[in-house]
Structures are given as C-alpha cells and as structure tokens.
Amino acid sequence: MGKLMKFLYSLMLIVLILLGALFLALGIDINNFANTLMEVELLRDLISNEVFVKGFFISIGVLLIIFSIIILVTLKKNSNKGFDVLIEDEKGSVLIAQRSLESSIKSSVNKFLGLETIKARAKIIDNNKLEAKILVDDYSDQAIDKLAERVREEIKTSLTNLTGLDEIKIDLKIEKKEKQKEKRENARY
C-alpha cells in the first residue's frame, strides 16, 4: 500500500470516527447537545443558515460516497491477492493459493537427494496455462542435464495433479554447489 493510500485510509478513519462520535453524542442526549450548540453564537448563526446546513450535509454525503468507492475499489483489487483463478465457469470458480503451487514445486524438487529449492514462483495464465520459475542448488554428483529432465517431469506431474492443467512451462535453473561436509573438511586443513 502506497503513501497516498495510507493517507486516504487515515483520513477516512478520522472522518468515520468523528461521524461516529457525533452520532453517539446525538443519540445519547440530543436535547442537551442541541442546547449546547445554540449557546455558541457562531454555531447558532451557521445552523440557522439554510444554505450552510444543506452544503454541510451534501459535503458529508459526497465524502462518505467517495470513501466508500475507494474502499470498494481497493477491496476488489486485493480480493484475490495471493490467489490465481484456475477454472471459471457457470458453476463458479476454483481458486488456488500461490503458496500451494510453490509448495508443490518445492516438495517435488526436495524428493531428489542433494537438491535444495532456493526460489519457486508459479502463476496461472488465462486459466489454461501455468508458468513456473525455479532456482535450485545442487549438492549432488549427478549430471545436470539428466537430473534437470527428471526434476522437470516430477514438477510437471505434481502441478498437473494439483491443478489439472496440462500446458505447463517450467524455467529451471540449477546451480552446482559444493557439499557442505567437504567445505568443512577443507576448512579444517
């Protein structure tokens, strides 16, 4: 959320709190509140001025409508945050959490001995394609080309089982790393 939105939400909160306090005061003791307002000469002049009263209520109404529209737009924009629409038909839609896709990828990669998932990102495009980007550290002694092919197949199978989508593009980056034990042994000598 940017600075402008934080400012707008803060302003909306202040206005809503003041309106709430005003309505509470009116509801608790309306006669006493009206008498207090009438004792202050400036307020008495303003309240007796019909144009001011109409303008005041119109401005409050406009402010509340603007605040409502801002809140509605923000809620609509963020309603599916973290989710991808998978299937949308006359029965409704199925939403899958972003972390579910990423967790599926990580568990697929971690099945292989010596591999560690560093980063996994996946998103569903046009409700029929899935794109995944994975960064993996390889501590094993296996050939990368054969290992990469097996890892891709495992990830594709896992994502297909989760989503039901067949069209999956996988960008896999494997970085060869030294084994931690060998590093420690070399550091001792």
Side-chain angles (χ1 to χ4, degrees), residues 51-126:
V51 174
F52 172 78
V53 172
K54 284 183 179 182
F56 176 76
F57 284 114
I58 288 173
S59 4
I60 293 295
V62 168
L63 268 179
L64 290 176
I65 289 172
I66 289 171
F67 289 167
S68 300
I69 290 170
I70 291 171
I71 290 173
L72 281 173
V73 167
T74 304
L75 290 176
K76 177 67 176 157
K77 180 180 168 188
N78 294 329
S79 65
N80 287 340
K81 193 168 191 145
F83 291 93
D84 280 327
V85 176
L86 177 60
I87 300 169
E88 202 168 319
D89 57 13
E90 66 276 350
K91 296 177 186 175
S93 60
V94 177
L95 299 175
I96 295 180
Q98 192 73 28
R99 65 180 169 266
S100 296
L101 295 170
E102 293 166 5
S103 177
S104 177
I105 291 170
K106 287 178 183 178
S107 66
S108 298
V109 170
N110 293 339
K111 286 181 182 178
F112 294 91
L113 190 60
L115 295 184
E116 182 182 339
T117 308
I118 302 302
K119 194 178 207 180
R121 296 284 179 248
K123 64 181 177 178
I124 296 172
I125 300 169
D126 299 331

Side-chain angles (χ1 to χ4, degrees), residues 43-55:
L43 290 175
R44 187 171 5 128
D45 291 341
L46 287 176
I47 291 174
S48 62
N49 185 346
E50 188 177 327
V51 174
F52 172 78
V53 172
K54 284 183 179 182

Side-chain angles (χ1 to χ4, degrees), residues 134-145:
I134 306 114
L135 175 61
V136 176
D137 282 348
D138 179 14
Y139 296 100
S140 70
D141 295 329
Q142 301 177 33
I144 288 183
D145 57 342

